[in-house]
Amino acid sequence: MFDSLLIDEQRKVLEALHQLEETRRKILYVTNEKGQLRGTLTDGDVRRWILGGGDLEGQVGAVCNRIPYSAREGYRIADIESAMSMHKITSVPVLDDDNCIIDVVFWEDLFQKGGSIKKQEPLALPVVVMAGGKGSRLAPFTSVLPKPLIPVGEKTAIEMIIDSFVQCGVDDFYLSVNYKSKLIQAYFEELEPSYRISYIHEEKPLGTGGGLHALIGRFNGDLIVTNCDVIIKADYHALMAHHSLENNDITMVVSLRHYDIPYGICEIVDNGQLCEMREKPHYNFLVNTGLYVLKASVLDLIPENEFYHLTDLIQDVRDRGGRVGVYPISDKAWLDTGEWQQYCETMAQLRA
């Protein structure tokens, strides 16, 4: 059935983003109250809406593509096959005379005998995992284990992170290590993974970015840098395409966060005079997840053997007129294991 691909045009954009993540089709068909097709919606449409300052409380109908490709009842299969190949689309809605969706034709149903849309090329870039911190917010467990080896389900946190990139064809990883580094190396020696792992040894803690100085001159093009306590469920091919299209020096992956304040908020002026009061307001923020795409050239800005955060690098790039962009994902696409409350929430999501 295709019910999970349908969404009413009056639904909220944030609801649509969550629904998109629940379906592997990565597309929704927007309908009105009569079930008539009004447009299509992809995560790219939502991302452009957010980056353009659009409100997540806005309606889907304002965001969707209003000129979708569709077929009529009684369609010729050859026409749909041609359209799918030409436009690189994987599903086509079939409409009746009232423009209501009565069926959806999927690529795999037409090409069961071996035809397939060309698979994406492997991501040919290195991934750096900053794994040198003490993880004091996860004490006392990190008094025994380094934070990257904290179990998340049946694997360690760092394996979960690396596996998400291996699925995209990445096989070149660098681990920046300091605290209990021998335990991390011993773990991977025992694991004997199919991918390559190199180590950047920090003789002293260098922050979330200082260890990257050791990589200056090793790469051309781009690299991905991630903290060791964040598991991102994102389309990394789409992330890299966005980074390239925007010609960013740094692209920061950010997550949507929604906060409801259960109280009336008071704003005051002039010695305590009430200016405005808002009852139980709600706010949406874009929060840094700790995953970045960097042009290799920006590594030249990182000082040698100094404590230096990636946020310092971002500011230095901006001060020099460089481009720093963001790539939004939903709150459900970011699993944080860096402190106990987030760790417990992540475990609950994985068990669900």
Side-chain angles (χ1 to χ4, degrees), residues 29 31 38 49 80 116 139 161 183 188 195 238 240 248 251 257 286 293 306 309 323 325 347 351:
Y29 293 106
T31 61
R38 303 293 290 165
W49 172 260
I80 291 187
S116 63
I161 294 167
L183 284 178
F188 279 102
Y195 43 82
M240 295 309 301
N248 288 336
T251 298
R257 279 291 192 262
L286 294 175
V293 184
E306 291 185 19
H309 282 314
R323 291 180 59 83
M347 293 299 295
R351 286 193 293 265

Side-chain angles (χ1 to χ4, degrees), residues 25 31 41 48 54 138 155 176 187 201 206 219 221 227 282 305 312 336 348 352:
R25 301 292 180 181
T31 61
L41 188 75
R48 285 186 289 273
L138 288 176
K155 294 187 176 183
S176 182
Y187 184 85
H201 292 274
L206 295 176
F219 314 124
N227 292 344
H282 57 269
N305 205 34
D312 299 322
D336 188 0

Side-chain angles (χ1 to χ4, degrees), residues 127-139 142 145-152 155-162 164-165 175-176 184 208 225-233 236 257 288-292 309-310 333-347 349-350:
V127 171
V128 183
V129 183
M130 307 306 292
K134 289 187 176 181
S136 56
R137 293 178 299 172
L138 288 176
T142 46
L145 287 175
K147 182 167 61 173
L149 298 187
I150 292 294
V152 179
K155 294 187 176 183
T156 61
I158 196 167
E159 281 180 276
M160 294 279 287
I161 294 167
I162 289 176
S164 70
F165 289 105
L175 307 188
S176 182
I184 297 173
T208 58
V225 178
T226 179
N227 292 344
C228 69
D229 54 10
V230 295
I231 302 166
I232 304 298
K233 296 181 178 181
Y236 293 120
R257 279 291 192 262
N288 181 11
T289 65
L291 189 148
Y292 312 84
H309 282 314
L310 276 166
W334 175 27
L335 303 179
D336 188 0
T337 64
E339 58 182 55
W340 279 118
Q341 181 177 348
Q342 284 82 2
Y343 176 83
C344 293
E345 290 174 358
T346 291
M347 293 299 295
Q349 287 189 48
L350 292 174

Side-chain angles (χ1 to χ4, degrees), residues 99-110:
N99 288 330
C100 293
I101 301 178
I102 57 173
D103 195 10
V104 176
V105 179
F106 298 108
W107 174 275
E108 59 267 30
D109 294 334
L110 294 182

